[in-house]
Amino acid sequence: MSWKIRVVLLIGFVAWAYRPFRPPPPPRLCGTKGGPPLVGPRIQLRDGRNLSYKEHGVPKEAAKYKVILVHGFSSSKHEASITATDLVEKLGIYFVSFDRPGYGESDPDPKRTIKSLALDIEELGLQLQLGAKFYIIGISMGGQAVWGCLKYIPHRVKGAALLAPVVNYWWPSFPPALATEAYHLQPVQDQWALRVARHAPWLVYWWNTQKWFPGSSVAAGTQNFTAPDLQIIAKMAASGVSHKAYATQQGVHESYHRDMMVGFGHRDLDPMQLEDPFPHGEGSVHLWHGTDDGVVPVSLQRYIAEELPWVQYHELPNAGHLFSCGETAVKDAILSKLLMAYKMRLNSHKDSCIILVFSMAAMFWKAIAVLLIALLAWSYQALCPPTPRLCGTTGGPSVEGPRIRLRDGRHLAYMEHGVSKETANYKIILVHGFGSNKNEAHFARSALVEKLGIHLVSFDRPGYGESDPDPKRTMESIALDIEELRDKLALGPKFYIIGTSMGGQVVWGCLKYISHRLAGVAMIAPVVNYWWPGFPAKLATEAYYEQFPQDQWALRVAHYAPSLVYWWNTQKWFPPSSVAAGRPNFTAPDLQVLAKLSASMVNKDYSTQQGLFESLHRDMMIGFGSWDFDPMDLDNPFLNREGSVHVWQGDNDGLVPVTLQRYIAKKLPWIQYHEMPNAGHLFPHGDTTATDAILNALLVGDK
């Protein structure tokens, strides 16, 4: 009986295991009963499958150039951002994009290979009468399709461009050490997902749908986008157009999962074994890649370019994976170099070098003197920041919201939120962060505002929004501005204060200079100054070097040469502060938050409408300059426990090192330190759970 029970259990387990491993039933084909509707045109391929396509640009009949676009992973024929450029009309370009098999409205191909897709593209060109040859552009995973075309149908290709093309870490020509190093740059969950796609493709569906282990971050839409990509994502989100649901409407297995199985499986293509398809210079192949691509390692693209000297390699500094969706200047360069076959050649018959020699010593020294004077004049002009455009003055931005007049004649703009001041149980002043303003008061959206009876006041810090700049701004002066704001708005003898990011530094100033006015304090991911004396030198140095090299230099300038801050962040020779440039080191949790933020919640133009210098640059000079106090020397402002001080920090914050916050909390035991697991710098913006917890802990002592 014991053996019979074991056999039954084994059979039951095998039956249970077989079901999740097995991919779903055949997909819901477009145009069939119960399947998605057909909206766009399609062609019927040699094997009876249908391929959906979309035309862009000038009419085909009038076009000088005809280009086929191949979309990437999780994309579709609709996402043809490279067509958004004036060159389309100027050069006369016709584009056709298509849904790769299994995506959008194109029938799946269970037998899909790199070769079969190349033949699909050839047939698309023939049926749409694109001529004997056509140009082809592949983006991300679509780049692998372009390698396939160069292998199987080079006679049909007039020119090719690969934009951040996905690599297969198992291509034989890669040196094992190089491929392994690049492979381990990927998130751990993606390393496992790629192993499954490579070594056990029949498990790909199960691996990316089970709940025990994290599947592919790319398939889940949480890929390792870097700061430049975040900017582009924010702009794309603002447009309100998304085709993600369209891309997988026939099921994720024949789109995403099939992509992984083909792209990272065993195949007969190694791009580094290809021969030049244009040995006589009648066409060109271009590979474009960003140095800050977190999805496809730049090191492997460099190796491919070294192995294939006939590939024209273009590396974009400070660009991420989505650069082709960004600035039109990049799109123009991609199209110009591909279609007009620009090549850097040394031609002794066409190129000449003219050498000018000053034969007279007097003329030489006069020229040097003139150049030196011109250089000094240029340097002086470049180092001097422009005069701020004050709100409410002639030629300056208008004043829309209420303001108070401060002791020195400056104005401070503010905004009130929550319940009325007269009925409020709690009154809180909110201090915004770097590049932000009074309008971004996410705490006002908490349900606790009504429940607890909270009145909130946010304000534009000096130089931001509609608040007048303060050329003499210090940590003490901003604390006194806040005290005067409280007095002018009659918030009572004491108030609560919450500072976010760079606003957290302002709160440290309030604890130093107006602690007698505070009822309670909360700092959210407060920015640290690496030069605070209380930090151990080794700890501060390690945290400092976690920042981008360009940010390390920007902070050095702010600390040691503040007079150069404006020039450093506006010159074009060296990369400036990534934060000031809007490309900060956001981590994966922040990417998710950014994707959810609507365009109405972000108004960077308003923040800096009076000029960058008196807002962003002044922040850097004060925040990372020499302070006249060290927060770690402060005394407990609430000795009788009549209030509390809280610091909240995410352990996955790429902007403010968590190690330094832990040290501050250890040095100041009267601070209640809250560390948020798997949270980034923007965690309060993600959902109201975090803001509710912060308000509860601050106002009612709920831990």
Side-chain angles (χ1 to χ4, degrees), residues 497-555:
I497 188 166
I498 299 177
T500 303
S501 190
M502 189 66 87
Q505 287 195 342
V506 174
V507 175
W508 283 122
C510 292
L511 287 169
K512 168 69 176 177
Y513 298 109
I514 59 167
S515 59
H516 57 291
R517 298 293 192 186
L518 304 178
V521 169
M523 290 176 273
I524 319 301
V527 172
V528 296
N529 184 328
Y530 298 92
W531 291 273
W532 284 339
F535 284 136
K538 182 179 179 182
L539 180 69
T541 301
E542 287 177 354
Y544 178 76
Y545 283 110
E546 290 177 6
Q547 305 302 302
F548 289 149
Q550 67 192 84
D551 293 333
Q552 296 172 28
W553 278 104
L555 297 185

Side-chain angles (χ1 to χ4, degrees), residues 260-321:
M260 296 174 67
M261 294 157 65
V262 174
F264 300 100
H266 295 269
R267 46 187 225 179
D268 58 353
L269 170 66
D270 181 349
M272 286 160 281
Q273 300 298 321
L274 295 178
E275 295 181 356
D276 185 357
F278 308 111
H280 306 297
E282 67 275 23
S284 57
V285 178
H286 301 261
L287 197 162
W288 297 75
H289 206 80
T291 60
D292 203 9
D293 191 325
V295 180
V296 181
V298 68
S299 58
L300 298 186
Q301 306 289 25
R302 291 169 180 164
Y303 185 82
I304 293 172
E306 289 177 4
E307 291 293 293
L308 301 177
W310 46 268
V311 169
Q312 297 186 38
Y313 180 57
H314 313 272
E315 193 167 286
L316 298 172
N318 303 317
H321 192 67

